[in-house]
Amino acid sequence: MVGKTNVGKSTFFAAATLATVEIGNRPFVTLEPSTGVGYVRKRCVHVELGLPRCDPASGYCTDGWRFIPVKLIDIPGLIPGAHEGKGLGNRFLDAIRQADAIILVVDASGSTDAAGNPVPPGTYDPVDEVRWLEKELEEWIYGILLNDWDRFAMKVSTTGANIVEALTQRLSGLSIRRYHVEKALEYAGLVGKSLTAWTREDLRRFAKGIRISKPMLIAANKADIPEAEDNIKRMKKELKDYIVVPTSAAAELALRRAARAGVIKYIPGDSDFEIIDEDKLSKKQLQALEYIRERVLRKWGSTGVQEAINKTFLELLNMIAVYPVEDANKFTDGRGRILPDAYLVPRGTTARELAYMVHTDLGKTFLYAVNARTKTRVGEDYELEDDDVIKIVAAAAKKS
C-alpha cells in the first residue's frame, strides 16, 4: 500500500487489518513500513458442498464468507522527488521491492497538496497524484538500471549471456521475474536489440515497462466528501489502465470497530450494517453511522476497502482459492477439521505445485491427486480451478 503522505493510507491499513497504527492529519505520520494481515473475501466452498460449517486453521469464516489471510504492508508516504531523496526518499522506494502488487491510496477529494498538506477539497488533482507516482517509480527503476550500466551491457554482450536472464537477475531484488522482463522488452520495442546499443531513452522506456509490469490498483479514498464524486468519474475515464475503487477507509474503520464492540453486525465488504444495541450508542455515534450508510454504502455499494483487496488479489494477480484435504469424502484433514486450509494460488498452478506448497516432501513424492468434489483422479499437470478441493496422494516416505 503506497501513496503520498496524509491521504488516509494508514487509516486504510488499520481498517483492513485492525492493527494499531498512528493516524494523524499531518505529513509523514508513518515513518516505517507496517506489516499486517488483511483478508480476501470469497464465498466459502462449504456452502456449495452443503456442509454445516468449516474449520479454518487460519483466517475465518462467517455467514458463509471465507476470509483468507494475505500480507499487507503500509509503506511510508512519499512526495515528488522521492527518487532523489526528498521526503522519506529511498526509504519509501526500498520498502516496495518485495511487493507483488501495489494498492495506491489516493485522496479522491483533492484535499491534500503534493506534499501532503491539507488544502480545501477540490483544490488538488488526484489524477496528477497518480501520474507523479508513476514517474517516481520509473525514475527509481531507471536509476537502478543506470548504475554501472555500460559495464553490465558490455559483459552481457561479450559473454553471450541471455539478455532476459541477465536483466531478470539484475532486477531480482525488486521482485521482478522473467515474464516481467519479457513484457517490458516488448513494451519498449527492444526485443533482440543488443544491450550495448541501448540509448538512455531506451533504458527509460524499459524502466517504464518494468513499472507497468508490477500491477497497481487505485483506492480512491475519501469518497464520502462531495468533491470526490466528479474526481472519481474523471479518474475512471482518464486512468483506463487501472482499476479505480471508490473508498472510504475512515468509514470502514468505524464500522469494523463498531462490529468488534458488538454494537452493529457488519461483515467487511457488505453493502449495509445492522444496529444490534442502539442503547449503547450516543446520538453522535448514531448520526455518524447514518452518515456512513447514506454517503458511502448507499452511494458506492461498500466502503471499498474489502473490494480493493479482493480486486488486487483476484483480478490484478489473477489468483484462485483451493482447499487441500486429506479425506476426499469428508473434506477434512488428518485431525478431522473440515476444509481447514484455503490457499490463494496463481491461476495455472498445477496439482504437483500445490503439493509442494503444502509440504516439500509431498511435492517430491507426488503420485496423483483427487478432485474431492468430483471424486476423479487427476495427474501432476492438472491445472487447479477456483474453489477446487484437492486430496494429494504421495508415496510413503522411505525409512532410514
Side-chain angles (χ1 to χ4, degrees), residues 4 7 14 24 28 35 65 69 101 105 113 134 136-137 156 193 200 221-222 232 275 285 308 326 351 359 367 378 391:
K4 73 181 184 185
V7 296
F28 302 121
T35 302
W65 292 104
V105 183
D113 65 17
E134 292 175 338
E136 287 298 329
L137 293 174
V156 173
K193 187 173 183 178
R200 293 298 181 259
N221 198 31
K222 305 185 184 180
I232 290 172
I275 295 176
Q285 289 173 322
E326 288 190 37
H359 197 286
L367 295 176
V378 298
K391 172 184 170 62

Side-chain angles (χ1 to χ4, degrees), residues 35-110:
T35 302
V37 176
Y39 299 89
V40 167
R41 167 178 162 157
K42 286 184 96 279
R43 199 64 178 163
C44 187
V45 74
H46 89 260
V47 177
E48 184 181 345
L49 294 173
L51 301 172
R53 69 177 200 282
C54 64
D55 304 306
S58 61
Y60 62 98
C61 189
T62 182
D63 284 8
W65 292 104
R66 187 80 171 231
F67 285 81
I68 306 170
V70 293
K71 184 177 180 180
L72 298 179
I73 303 176
D74 176 21
I75 303 299
L78 79 160
I79 61 174
H83 72 279
E84 299 171 343
K86 295 179 181 178
L88 296 177
N90 288 331
R91 288 172 64 186
F92 156 77
L93 295 166
D94 284 344
I96 70 168
R97 287 179 182 271
Q98 301 306 314
D100 294 307
I102 297 170
I103 296 177
L104 170 58
V105 183
V106 171
D107 180 354
S109 72

Side-chain angles (χ1 to χ4, degrees), residues 142 145-146 149-150 152-153 163-164 167 170-171 181 184-186 188-207 210:
Y142 173 72
L145 287 166
L146 189 60
W149 172 260
D150 292 335
F152 166 76
I163 290 176
V164 173
L167 288 169
R170 186 175 178 84
L171 294 170
V181 171
L185 288 170
E186 291 177 8
L190 296 171
V191 176
K193 187 173 183 178
S194 171
L195 296 185
T196 55
W198 283 25
T199 65
R200 293 298 181 259
E201 187 57 36
D202 288 337
L203 208 55
R204 285 189 180 278
R205 285 201 313 276
F206 178 71
I210 289 294

Side-chain angles (χ1 to χ4, degrees), residues 149-186:
W149 172 260
D150 292 335
R151 181 182 176 186
F152 166 76
M154 182 60 70
K155 181 180 179 180
V156 173
S157 179
T158 55
T159 60
N162 182 281
I163 290 176
V164 173
E165 291 179 0
L167 288 169
T168 302
Q169 179 63 34
R170 186 175 178 84
L171 294 170
S172 61
L174 306 183
S175 287
I176 298 300
R177 299 177 178 84
R178 183 185 179 94
Y179 67 89
H180 292 133
V181 171
E182 291 172 341
K183 287 183 178 180
L185 288 170
E186 291 177 8

Side-chain angles (χ1 to χ4, degrees), residues 69 72 77 117 123 125 148 177 187 201 206 223 264 279 281 297 305 320 323 360:
L72 298 179
N117 298 305
T123 304
D125 186 353
D148 203 22
R177 299 177 178 84
Y187 171 85
E201 187 57 36
F206 178 71
I264 68 169
D279 293 338
L281 294 167
L297 300 180
V305 171
I320 60 174
Y323 298 77
T360 302

